[in-house]
Every structure is written in structure tokens, then in C-alpha cells.
Amino acid sequence: MGELNTTPNANRLHIGIFGRTNSGKSSLINLITGQNTSIVSEVPGTTTDPVYKAMEINPLGACVIIDTPGIEDNTVLGEQRLEKTKLAMDKADLAVLVFADNETTGFDGEYELLSVFHKRNIPVLCIINSFDNIDKADIKDKILSRMNENRDVLLKVNCNAPGNAADRDKIRMALSKMMPEDYDEAFITGDLVREGDLVLLVMPQDIQAPKRRLILPQVQTIRELLDRKCTVVSTTTDKLEVTLSYLREAPQLIITDSQAFKTVYEHKPANSRLTSFSVLFAAYKGDLPYYTEGARFIDRLTEASRVLIAECCTHAPLTEDIGRVKIPRMLRKRFGEKLQVDMVSGTDFPEDPSGYDLIIQCGGCMFNRQYVLTRIQRAKDAGVPMTNYGVTIAHLTGILDKIVM
Ligand SMILES: Nc1nc2c(ncn2[C@@H]2O[C@H](COP(=O)(O)OP(=O)(O)OP(=O)(O)O)[C@@H](O)[C@H]2O)c(=O)[nH]1
Ligand SMILES: [Mg+2]
């Protein structure tokens, strides 16, 4: 697969293009990519599924641009298309909102989207598509009055001219100015390592590990540690002791799979700090303080509680699957066999999770950070505690307070 050499989508800046049907969204993605990325036609509802296009945009870097089905699609399938558009909204780090209509319908739908993004602190690039009938100054003023003046930008663009390099540059520059300042600064390993550190990775390659390759969080962590000028040593749990005996000094940091936490903790040198990939990703991709707080609610579960497990991978269930098998088993053993544990996978996640007493999210390595944060916000809005696999296992095995975060 060619993806081995490219940035995984989960680590790319997600830019979503939104607006009503026939407003010129697909024309706009084609203008930005300079290619026939999406089908354009005068028929409303042409784009029926979001189109995800990975590309490098200077000076933004690795991005995914998403063309979406229009809002206010009144066809039979409109409802389902809207769901897909909402999912793209949940993933967007930056939003592009296309305004193109006459004044008879107004822009209520667009303003609604604008307020959703404002609530999520997502910068919005408002584009007035230069259809003749909206070339009016008062429309510009109306849109301006709804925008967040510190963060949003308004541009007038002719989306219908694929070779329009001047407008393409204008869009590119506007987007790069709008990019969240801290976007590129986050490290998976945070401030847990310094240049020159020796870091030991303990990675059991058991039945759950995919055949002949490392999983994404491991690959990314190794790459980052090398970039940060650390020495990285890898081993499996059964070889931990022999590996340690080879080392002249104790590693400053040991990172392991959450399932091997307990064993590694019992065998590690006293002055080596310990964490897990899952906890690192909880901080990198989610909200570690909320997850840690959420883990305290595990102790309040009873047999009558409802727990939701959200797994992002859609792989066929394995016999000892951590989300599908291990965590439910650990919880039922402790709180009773009747404990209700529901499972969602992929991008399925309830709009309103308020019926649950606890949500346990996977590491989220396949999702971009913004999408995981949208889920966390939904849990917060519904007043439901949320945690993740690694934090849960650490809590259940009694070592949550022994991990460095
Ligand atoms: N005059 C003019 N026409 C445009 C412009 N942008 C798009 N169009 C036309 O408007 C129609 C709709 O454009 P699309 O890009 O398919 O619109 P869309 O928002 O993707 O529509 P859906 O996929 O149906 O939601 C096409 O016939 C385009 O050629 C523009 O800037 N000026
Ligand atoms: Mg379209």
C-alpha cells in the first residue's frame, strides 16, 4: 500500500467545505485541489457522499479536504446525507462555508452552521461564490455581522473557474492564517522525554497484534522519539527482563501496551517512569484530565448501569479483543453479569449519549483529534463521564496513580 510513505489521514489537518446544495462546494474543492476531485453539475444533490481528498497545501502542510453533500437537501435520501455531512463537521479543524443563493431563501441554514462552528471554536472561512445574483454589498455586510471577527475570514471567489490561480492562492493564504496556532506543536510523548533519553518500548506482539506489522500508535511514537533525539529500544513483555539486563542504565521512560501494564510495572527499574501508548494517545488525541476523572466513575457502577464502549477500528472481532471482550469481562466480573455494555464502532456514536453512566473510548489512533474532542464535548454536554481503554485498564488494575502523564 502506498500509504506507508504518506501521513495517515488521522494526523492531517481536516478542512471541511459546507453549504447548501448547488452552492458550488464541489466547484470549490476542484479549485483548491486544481483537479477534478468532485463531480460538479447544475443538479442539486450531486454530491451524495463526502469526498475526502488528502493533499499537501502550502504552507498548511498535510491536509484532508472534505467536500460534503449540501445541507437543506430535500430528497428522500437527504436525511442520510445530512448525517454524513454532520460527521464531516465533527472532524473539521477548519471550516469553509460557501454562500451562494438569492435573497428569497436567505442564509438561515448557513448561519446555523456558522453558530455550530463558533460553539466548537472552529475558525470559518466564509466564501461568497460569485454567482451574479448575490454580487451585492449588503449580503457581504450581513455575513460579516455574523462572523467571529477575530477568527473568521470572508472572501469573494469565483469557484467556477478551475484555472483561477489567483483565487486559489487567496484561499490558501486565508486558511493558513486561520490555522490554530498550537496545531503542529503537540507531541505524543508530551514533556515526558528530553533529547538524549533512553526510552524502552514494551510491545507484546500477541494474537491481537496485526500480522507482521506494528500498529499506528507504536509507529508514530517511535518516529517521534527518533525526531526528538531519543534512543529507542523495543522489546516484548516476555523479553523484558533480558532486555533490561542488556542496558547499562535504566531507561528514563518505559512505554507499554496497557494490557502489559501490571507485568511491566512489577519488573521495571524503580527509577524508570512508566506510561502506556493508550494513555499517551488519551492526552494527544483526547482530554486526559476528563478521562482520568471519568475513570473514577468506574467505581460507582452497579449491575444496573449502562456502559458504552466506542471502538474506532472496524476490524473483525478478535477472540481476546480489548474493547469487545476484555474490558466488558473485567467490568462484569467486578459489578455483576447483568451490567449492560453496549458497543459502537467506526464513526458510530450516539448524538445524545445521556442514557449511559459511562463511556469508554478506544485510543482513537484512526481518528483526528478534533473528532475525538467532538465526542468528548457530546459526553460533557450530556453530563456523562467518559474515559478510554488505557485509563480504564490502568484504573481496574490499580496502577493509574503509578503512571506518568
Ligand atoms: N456562475 C457561476 N456558477 C457556478 C459557480 N460555482 C459553481 N457554479 C455552478 O453551480 C452548479 C453547482 O455547482 P456544484 O459545485 O456542483 O455545487 P455543490 O454545492 O457541490 O452542489 P451539491 O453537490 O449538489 O450539493 C454547477 O452548475 C456549477 O457550474 C460560480 O462561481 N459562478
Ligand atoms: Mg457537490
Side-chain angles (χ1 to χ4, degrees), residues 11 60 78 137 154 176 182 184 198 224 243 248 288 313 326 336 341 353 361 363 381 396 403:
N11 298 343
L60 286 161
L154 180 68
S176 60
D182 57 356
D184 254 346
L198 173 63
E224 182 183 290
T243 305
R248 232 187 313 146
L288 188 55
C313 298
K326 281 197 177 169
V341 183
Q361 168 69 51
D381 289 346
L396 289 173
I403 293 166

Side-chain angles (χ1 to χ4, degrees), residues 19-20 71-72 97 99 105-116:
R20 68 183 64 193
I71 51 164
E72 307 194 345
L97 188 52
F99 290 80
T105 42
F107 289 132
D108 288 349
E110 288 82 346
Y111 293 148
E112 219 178 291
L113 288 190
L114 203 53
S115 65
V116 172

Side-chain angles (χ1 to χ4, degrees), residues 283-351:
Y284 180 60
K285 282 284 167 87
D287 180 338
L288 188 55
Y290 195 63
Y291 284 165
T292 316
E293 198 187 309
R296 291 191 295 118
F297 285 84
I298 294 174
D299 302 325
R300 303 194 197 161
L301 295 176
T302 67
E303 210 171 24
S305 302
R306 289 183 70 201
V307 176
L308 178 69
I309 295 189
E311 163 79 49
C312 71
C313 298
T314 48
H315 58 232
L318 295 155
T319 44
E320 276 300 289
D321 199 272
I322 179 165
R324 289 174 176 84
V325 182
K326 281 197 177 169
I327 291 179
R329 190 203 290 143
M330 284 169 111
L331 291 175
R332 289 205 175 100
K333 201 171 140 200
R334 184 148 158 204
F335 302 105
E337 285 305 315
K338 291 210 191 75
L339 177 77
Q340 187 182 331
V341 183
D342 294 344
M343 171 105 204
V344 287
S345 66
T347 51
D348 289 342
F349 192 83
E351 190 74 35

Side-chain angles (χ1 to χ4, degrees), residues 13 22 52 98 116 125-126 191 200 206-207 268 270 300 305 312 315 325 347-348 370 389:
L13 182 84
N22 249 356
Y52 287 76
V98 184
V116 172
L125 172 59
C126 297
D191 51 14
L200 177 64
D206 54 14
I207 173 81
K268 78 174 183 67
R300 303 194 197 161
S305 302
C312 71
H315 58 232
V325 182
T347 51
D348 289 342
Q370 184 54 43
Y389 287 8

Side-chain angles (χ1 to χ4, degrees), residues 72-83:
E72 307 194 345
D73 178 340
N74 296 322
T75 60
V76 204
L77 291 172
E79 191 82 11
Q80 290 172 43
R81 287 176 191 156
L82 197 58
E83 284 306 308

Side-chain angles (χ1 to χ4, degrees), residues 168-193:
R168 183 183 306 144
D169 285 349
K170 246 171 35 182
I171 294 168
R172 214 161 39 85
M173 293 323 292
L175 288 172
S176 60
K177 259 198 294 187
M178 294 160 67
M179 184 148 148
E181 266 172 26
D182 57 356
Y183 184 78
D184 254 346
E185 284 162 16
F187 282 123
I188 299 166
T189 47
D191 51 14
L192 296 178
V193 296

